[in-house]
Amino acid sequence: MITQKGGKLFRKYMLNMLLLIFTGMFLMSILFIALETGRWSDEQSVILRNNTEMVTDNVKNTIMGFSGTGQSTVSDGGPLRIVSGLIDTLCTSNNCDIFLCDTNGKVILCREMAKTRGRNTCQKHLMYNIPEDIIVKASKDGYDELTTLGTSLPVKNHVVATPVVLYGKTLGVVFAVKPVFSTLAQYISQVAKIMLIAAMITLFVSSVIIYGMVYRITKPLKQMSYAAKQYADGDFSYKVNVSGDDELAELAKAFNKMAISLSALESSRRSFVANVSHELKTPMTTIGGFIDGILDGTIEQDEEKKYLEIVSDEVKRLSRLVTGMLNMSKLEAGEMNINAREFDMSNSIFKTVLNFEKKIEQKNLDIMGLENMQSIRVVADEDMIMQVIYNLVDNAIKFTPVDGYIDINSFTDGEKVYVSIRNSGDGISRDELHKVFERFYKIDRSRSYDVKGAGLGLYIVKSIVNLHKGEIKADSVEGEYTEFSFWIPLSYKT
């Protein structure tokens, strides 16, 4: 019995399936993070843009409200310091830096002014000097890039800028600056944690499902591997458990069917070896004993002819046995070629029956049907068909009791020729009837009148009929009769 739970194939399938799932999840994670990074960047751009526009609107409203004419510039500074409180609030809530610079790139307003009561003492922003090209670009179309603002920032930051335009004149530019990598890394870290938890749950559930699926797939394969080893050792009793109706189940069924066939073949082989050994040993012993008796004078001279006739019969038995085995080998190797020519089927049947005249007389058998036969011309291999008829008539004579009958008939329907040979006798049981055309098979010896032979005759008969693209069948009623009938085309065509 199979006791090992795992196996190389099982582990290989498990590892491959888990690797496939892990690879898929890894690629999906990379794609998801890339998409989330782009979405996050777009979202930050919108937020920073909204912040700069809010500050810009407040700057313009403050200037217009303070001067009443709108002719002030951002460099006047005084009224714009009121906006610094809004800037401080936005910077705190969005974790960014917002400041206002004039058209020369100098920072004049930042969140520090709200904390110093309007005094611009922020050393950080006083050191900023925004390049002219950035001011020009921001004044025209706005600005949204990763940049260091010249030399103002130590590393690249996400920078969004919106111009302060009043009555068609650019008074300054509002910048919103947010660190990218630290903020993005924090966001990606949170996303990665969520995905890691989801991946662990998915891998656990997938592992359980894959384990069951792979086990179900590999179990019959392992059973078949074990069965193959048993079959190699000559034990055909082991059967693979079959469940379901998928391809593996079909394979398992085919494997079990193969085991049954191999078992039957092995049984037939052993029976064949025993039969052939017996069939060879008996006549050879007889031949050797009689010849030795003639040579050493044990058999008297007037008895020599009698015993030589027995020796001749035994030699013919050996010849038939060897011929049958050679024909079987040729048929199985596909080396039997049909030499088709026209001949009279009825005439062949007559000739064959005449060959058994002596045996028919010894058993006092009644031969029927020959008187009603009509000439039937066929195109086939005459020698092969003669062998078919010979074997069927020989079998009929062997298994017909004394004073029994043999009924032989033939007819044609214009396309095929039909031949049937029926003999009286014990018949063949239904259990054995479907086996009679198997090679090496012999009917139960206890019911045989003549047990000579190795069980090749009917197998060769069936092979020859099939070779002619015909068909043969057997029918029997126990205690009454046995009948073999076959048909072949009137004209054999390759």
Side-chain angles (χ1 to χ4, degrees):
M1 295 298 293
I2 302 175
T3 57
Q4 187 180 3
K5 293 292 184 183
K8 293 181 179 179
L9 184 62
F10 179 84
R11 291 194 295 271
K12 182 178 178 181
Y13 267 101
M14 277 291 295
L15 290 175
N16 285 342
M17 294 293 286
L18 291 176
L19 180 61
L20 181 64
I21 291 177
F22 178 80
T23 302
M25 293 186 65
F26 178 74
L27 294 176
M28 183 181 68
S29 299
I30 292 176
L31 179 61
F32 180 77
I33 290 174
L35 292 174
E36 277 296 295
T37 300
R39 188 192 65 80
W40 179 87
S41 179
D42 293 339
E43 186 180 88
Q44 296 305 310
S45 294
V46 172
I47 293 173
L48 295 178
R49 175 71 61 191
N50 291 338
N51 289 341
T52 57
E53 289 176 353
M54 189 182 301
V55 173
T56 299
D57 291 340
N58 276 269
V59 168
K60 290 191 291 185
N61 291 335
T62 301
I63 292 175
M64 291 177 65
F66 184 81
S67 65
T69 61
Q71 298 301 314
S72 299
T73 64
V74 292
S75 59
D76 292 336
L80 298 181
R81 290 186 180 93
I82 302 171
V83 188
S84 62
L86 173 64
I87 293 176
D88 183 50
T89 302
L90 293 175
C91 289
T92 302
S93 62
N94 293 290
N95 190 26
C96 63
D97 183 22
I98 301 175
F99 56 87
L100 171 66
C101 68
D102 59 19
T103 54
N104 294 319
K106 296 296 182 179
V107 177
I108 60 173
L109 184 65
C110 65
R111 67 189 299 186
E112 294 297 326
M113 293 183 69
K115 301 175 182 179
T116 58
R117 297 182 180 180
R119 290 176 295 172
N120 192 358
T121 59
C122 180
Q123 296 301 315
K124 173 184 175 182
H125 293 104
L126 288 175
M127 299 297 294
Y128 283 6
N129 186 14
I130 310 303
E132 182 182 357
D133 60 325
I134 295 178
I135 296 294
V136 172
K137 186 175 181 180
S139 299
K140 290 182 179 181
D141 307 315
Y143 193 80
D144 187 349
E145 289 186 12
L146 291 176
T147 180
T148 58
L149 292 176
T151 58
S152 301
L153 303 174
V155 295
K156 287 185 176 182
N157 282 247
H158 191 176
V159 179
V160 175
T162 302
V164 180
V165 180
L166 196 61
Y167 300 114
K169 181 181 179 180
T170 301
L171 304 180
V173 179
V174 177
F175 284 89
V177 179
K178 189 168 187 176
V180 176
F181 299 108
S182 60
T183 308
L184 179 61
Q186 184 179 4
Y187 175 76
I188 295 300
S189 176
Q190 294 176 348
V191 173
K193 287 180 181 178
I194 295 173
M195 294 194 65
L196 180 61
I197 295 173
M200 291 176 65
I201 296 174
T202 303
L203 282 175
F204 175 76
V205 175
S206 299
S207 297
V208 174
I209 295 174
I210 291 172
Y211 181 89
M213 182 178 66
V214 173
Y215 181 77
R216 180 178 175 274
I217 293 175
T218 57
K219 182 180 178 181
L221 294 177
K222 287 184 64 179
Q223 288 182 343
M224 283 184 272
S225 176
Y226 177 80
K229 294 176 183 178
Q230 296 298 107
Y231 300 162
D233 294 335
D235 179 11
F236 300 100
S237 61
Y238 183 82
K239 298 295 184 293
V240 179
N241 293 328
V242 180
S243 61
D245 56 356
D246 55 9
E247 288 80 359
L248 274 175
E250 291 296 325
L251 179 60
K253 291 177 183 177
F255 210 80
N256 289 337
K257 187 176 181 180
M258 180 189 71
I260 294 173
S261 298
L262 288 175
S263 178
L265 181 62
E266 178 65 14
S267 177
S268 296
R269 184 190 66 81
R270 291 176 180 176
S271 176
F272 171 72
V273 171
N275 289 338
V276 170
S277 298
H278 175 76
E279 296 296 333
L280 289 174
K281 181 179 180 180
T282 301
M284 290 177 67
T285 302
T286 302
I287 292 170
F290 288 156
I291 290 178
D292 289 341
I294 292 173
L295 291 176
D296 61 18
T298 304
I299 297 176
E300 296 182 3
Q301 189 171 3
D302 57 347
E303 296 286 326
E304 288 181 1
K305 183 178 179 182
K306 172 184 174 183
Y307 289 104
L308 285 176
E309 288 178 351
I310 296 174
V311 169
S312 177
D313 290 339
E314 295 299 321
V315 170
K316 290 176 182 178
R317 266 184 71 188
L318 288 175
S319 178
R320 287 196 301 271
L321 178 61
V322 173
T323 300
M325 294 176 65
L326 289 175
N327 288 338
M328 181 190 70
S329 298
K330 289 181 180 180
L331 285 168
E332 291 183 343
E335 296 176 356
M336 291 282 279
N337 298 317
I338 293 180
N339 181 22
R341 59 189 180 88
E342 186 176 359
F343 65 96
D344 191 327
M345 176 68 79
S346 299
N347 188 43
S348 297
I349 295 174
F350 277 114
K351 288 181 179 179
T352 304
V353 173
L354 287 176
N355 289 333
F356 291 96
E357 183 178 4
K358 184 176 180 180
K359 291 183 178 181
I360 292 171
E361 290 178 352
Q362 288 175 348
K363 283 191 169 185
N364 192 29
L365 301 179
D366 183 15
I367 306 300
M368 301 184 297
L370 296 181
E371 67 278 5
N372 298 322
M373 281 191 184
Q374 302 294 323
S375 176
I376 302 174
R377 306 296 296 182
V378 298
V379 177
D381 190 310
E382 185 176 8
D383 293 335
M384 289 188 183
I385 298 302
M386 285 283 285
Q387 185 175 359
V388 169
I389 298 170
Y390 183 94
N391 285 347
L392 293 179
V393 172
D394 185 38
N395 268 357
I397 293 174
K398 284 180 183 179
F399 294 100
T400 303
V402 176
D403 297 328
Y405 72 87
I406 298 176
D407 188 5
I408 304 174
N409 289 286
S410 67
F411 65 93
T412 180
D413 61 2
E415 294 182 357
K416 304 171 184 176
V417 58
Y418 297 83
V419 177
S420 65
I421 300 175
R422 173 183 293 197
N423 66 278
S424 60
D426 288 343
I428 304 172
S429 69
R430 289 294 174 184
D431 293 335
E432 291 185 316
L433 193 61
H434 69 282
K435 301 178 182 178
V436 294
F437 293 110
E438 295 178 6
R439 60 179 179 175
F440 315 139
Y441 183 78
K442 296 182 72 176
I443 297 173
D444 186 2
R445 289 176 178 270
S446 64
R447 302 186 63 189
S448 302
Y449 293 98
D450 189 332
V451 297
K452 295 180 180 180
L456 295 177
L458 291 178
Y459 172 77
I460 293 174
V461 164
K462 181 178 176 63
S463 299
I464 291 175
V465 172
N466 290 342
L467 198 61
H468 280 77
K469 301 178 182 179
E471 184 178 345
I472 186 170
K473 63 179 181 178
D475 187 27
S476 180
V477 174
E478 289 189 82
E480 294 186 18
Y481 70 88
T482 300
E483 181 178 47
F484 288 91
S485 59
F486 72 90
W487 63 262
I488 60 172
L490 279 178
S491 180
Y492 172 79
K493 296 179 181 179
T494 57

